[in-house]
Amino acid sequence: MPYFSFHHSEPTRKKTVPADFFTTLVNKMKVLVATEKPFAKVAVDGIREVIEDAGYELALLEKYTDKQQLLEAVADADALIIRSDIVDAEVLDAAKQLKIVVRAGAGYDNIDLDAATAHNVVAMNTPGQNSNAVAELALGLMVYAVRNLYNGTSGTELLGKKLGIHAFGNVGRNVARIAQGFGMQVYAYDAYCPDEAMVAANVTPLHSAEELYKTCDIVSLHIPATAETKNSINHDLVNLMPKGGVLVNTARKEVIDEPGLIQLMQERADLKYMTDIMPAADATFREQFAGRYFATPKKMGAQTAEANINAGIAAAKQIVDFLQNGNTRFQVNK
Ligand code: 3PG
């Protein structure tokens, strides 16, 4: 049965149209959520609501195994929501209609920003939306490390230990807050953050990475992967840590100089490495450093319903606000 009719022989039929009828006729904007590691269902439902309320269509590509699937799915997308999914020049070439890509999360090293700019595509992230989830996982890795990977032997406590936060952004600040609840002494180094911000959070500012590693029993990494930071966590830096040092990485694998860390852990049997981003040399780490190395099978830091909802819905709202009002507040390829 049609929604309405102009047929004169049916004078009593109500001449109403559904709210989205004309937008349907003029081709709805399509928002694609492409997540190799899917959001929780509740987050997808929330994203759908935001997108459909705006009169757009939502398409989903989850758990794809092949880049070709992404290339096909983006072909008619006007907007794209991703997580750690790679958006490079080839993806942008295939996305002929694309106006905006939003990385639902913090780090946007998976987007080729220059290519996005060249394709006239706005790239955004959703800063802060998943940072508590990542911070909780970082503390979980710390407890796991000092309790000897729950192997039944006597470990140590976090209470009173010195924690070094390497980069005091959204995740680093949440790590500081939670670590203070454990009674840790919290230090931070961040070349781009003023001391006052750290002091206001009861964190002791240090003024070089070397000073941080020398001072702290546990160092938690929160630096982005950039040309400047890649391979910067190297043999000599980590070697400054005191006996029994623990390095926790919930940031990016690229910041670690893996051969350097392997060499150091061979030289120093007291060091532990806990990571949420499996190293390229995972097999070597597992084989050589059993009991003092742990990597999650897949990056889990932001993998909570809450973080998925926060980041996913923020991404959807940013897309609507950009398409309807031109808001570029969170653009990262300016
Ligand atoms: C981020 O940069 O937001 C985190 O690393 C989370 O990444 P994910 O969305 O792939 O879990």
Side-chain angles (χ1 to χ4, degrees), residues 14-15 130 213 277 317:
K14 218 173 157 208
K15 294 175 182 171
N130 60 18
Y213 286 71
I277 316 94
K317 286 184 174 167

Side-chain angles (χ1 to χ4, degrees), residues 98-114:
L98 197 67
K99 296 147 191 71
I100 176 168
V101 53
V102 182
R103 191 281 191 251
Y108 44 86
D109 46 303
N110 50 321
I111 304 177
D112 183 334
L113 295 184
D114 291 339

Side-chain angles (χ1 to χ4, degrees), residues 98-165:
L98 197 67
K99 296 147 191 71
I100 176 168
V101 53
V102 182
R103 191 281 191 251
Y108 44 86
D109 46 303
N110 50 321
I111 304 177
D112 183 334
L113 295 184
D114 291 339
T117 305
H119 285 78
N120 223 0
V121 170
V122 167
M124 295 186 187
N125 67 346
T126 64
Q129 300 290 349
N130 60 18
S131 48
N132 180 67
V134 179
E136 287 190 12
L137 187 112
L139 266 295
L141 290 176
M142 290 177 211
V143 176
Y144 194 43
V146 298
R147 295 305 184 96
N148 302 328
L149 279 50
Y150 302 149
N151 69 358
T153 64
S154 186
T156 59
E157 299 178 22
L158 296 180
L159 180 74
K161 301 299 182 301
K162 292 179 176 160
L163 170 65
I165 298 182

Side-chain angles (χ1 to χ4, degrees), residues 37 83-84 103-108 130 134 250-252 299 301-303:
K37 183 175 60 186
R83 296 185 63 178
S84 289
R103 191 281 191 251
Y108 44 86
N130 60 18
V134 179
T250 55
R252 289 290 180 271
K299 186 152 56 109
Q303 200 61 324

Side-chain angles (χ1 to χ4, degrees), residues 262-319:
I262 290 169
Q263 189 197 324
L264 179 64
M265 289 179 72
Q266 287 165 348
E267 291 163 10
R268 284 184 54 177
D270 61 300
L271 293 177
K272 290 183 180 145
Y273 181 47
M274 304 282 124
T275 181
D276 186 32
I277 316 94
M278 191 176 279
D282 170 63
T284 308
F285 276 96
R286 262 190 295 136
E287 199 181 290
Q288 299 194 16
F289 311 124
R292 56 196 183 100
Y293 164 73
F294 172 77
T296 51
K298 197 160 247 207
K299 186 152 56 109
M300 297 288 298
Q303 200 61 324
T304 66
E306 294 89 337
N308 289 174
I309 291 168
N310 293 344
I313 292 179
K317 286 184 174 167
Q318 286 172 215
I319 284 172

